[in-house]
Amino acid sequence: TLEKLYDLPIVGDVRGEGFFYGIELVKDKATKETFDDDESERLLRGFLTPALWEAGLYCRADDRGDPVVQLAPPLISGQAEFDAIYDILHNVLSEAARRLLDRQHAGEIEVLKAEFADRKGSARATADIDQAARAATQGAVQTLLVDIDRTVPGSVDDKSGAVTFAETDDAVAYGVVDEIARRVLDTGGRVLAVRAQDLPTDSPVAAILRWAA
């Protein structure tokens, strides 16, 4: 269950053994760039520690290296307890990611939106989910902006990148936007998770391409 936290842009790794877990936090998921001392202080002690405590989760935010949230649930914990832990971590870490993104990307997002508009006329940018998935599968996406709050259920074909949309997540369907982002990262592209109002269109994705689609 906790491994699903890896979908968050601030989470660089989720690892553990038995009932001991560590959630590594990063500034940039693509490069695994970590936080400096001042940033770690603001993130861990200024926000995460009190926010997680107030949400009802007792854990440790550790910065004696890369920032990590450490937790060890009781050995009697079952799926219901892990689901509750996941919900708390997901909500609090999502808010931490939003705060981080607000500081980091304010100016950069405007530059990328202008680049998106400039390249769209030459078919080197797209906000179409299916086109973005196909381009990501081909390694054609240079930069991908994704809506941090929106989930699009469906599946992406392994070879063509064609998208099949679904009503809800199930054993076959999953988050299409997350899968597109994974393929972009796997092919050396960059992914920025932003708020809906920071995207150039009302689509949950905006892809700037290396070559014309």
Side-chain angles (χ1 to χ4, degrees):
T1 298
L2 298 184
E3 285 75 12
K4 293 189 294 182
L5 292 169
Y6 186 70
D7 291 340
L8 294 173
I10 199 173
V11 176
D13 194 14
V14 179
R15 54 185 181 267
E17 184 174 347
F19 275 50
F20 293 91
Y21 288 88
I23 301 159
E24 180 184 344
L25 307 179
V26 293
K27 187 192 300 188
D28 188 313
K29 191 162 190 166
T31 64
K32 293 297 181 71
E33 179 186 1
T34 189
F35 300 91
D36 63 32
D37 291 343
D38 290 340
E39 291 168 334
S40 291
E41 181 73 20
R42 288 196 302 270
L43 174 65
L44 298 180
R45 293 177 177 79
F47 175 70
L48 283 180
T49 296
L52 290 168
W53 177 266
E54 290 171 8
L57 182 61
Y58 180 72
C59 56
R60 176 177 181 177
D62 191 352
D63 64 350
R64 293 175 297 174
D66 294 335
V68 175
V69 175
Q70 300 173 337
L71 64 155
L75 297 179
I76 60 171
S77 298
Q79 189 60 49
E81 287 74 25
F82 275 95
D83 288 344
I85 291 170
Y86 168 82
D87 287 341
I88 292 173
L89 285 168
H90 187 276
N91 291 338
V92 173
L93 291 176
S94 292
E95 178 59 27
R98 291 188 187 95
R99 294 182 179 209
L100 174 65
L101 291 169
D102 284 346
R103 290 195 302 269
Q104 281 187 329
H105 301 319
E108 183 180 12
I109 287 170
E110 293 306 312
V111 172
L112 289 171
K113 287 167 68 174
E115 185 177 0
F116 177 91
D118 183 60
R119 293 198 187 188
K120 200 169 189 304
S122 58
R124 292 182 60 201
T126 182
D128 182 86
I129 295 175
D130 186 73
Q131 290 180 5
R134 292 174 184 269
T137 303
Q138 297 166 6
V141 178
Q142 174 182 312
T143 304
L144 180 72
L145 301 178
V146 299
D147 186 336
I148 193 173
D149 292 316
R150 189 166 166 189
T151 299
V152 179
S155 59
V156 182
D157 185 79
D158 289 338
K159 293 184 178 180
S160 69
V163 174
T164 301
F165 296 101
E167 292 296 324
T168 58
D169 288 342
D170 55 31
V172 176
Y174 44 80
V176 169
V177 174
D178 289 339
E179 176 61 19
I180 295 172
R182 184 188 67 79
R183 296 187 187 197
V184 171
L185 292 172
D186 285 348
T187 54
R190 188 178 182 207
V191 176
L192 294 178
V194 301
R195 298 186 182 189
Q197 60 265 32
D198 292 325
L199 286 159
T201 74
D202 60 0
S203 170
V205 301
I208 297 172
L209 309 180
R210 295 185 171 108
W211 56 81

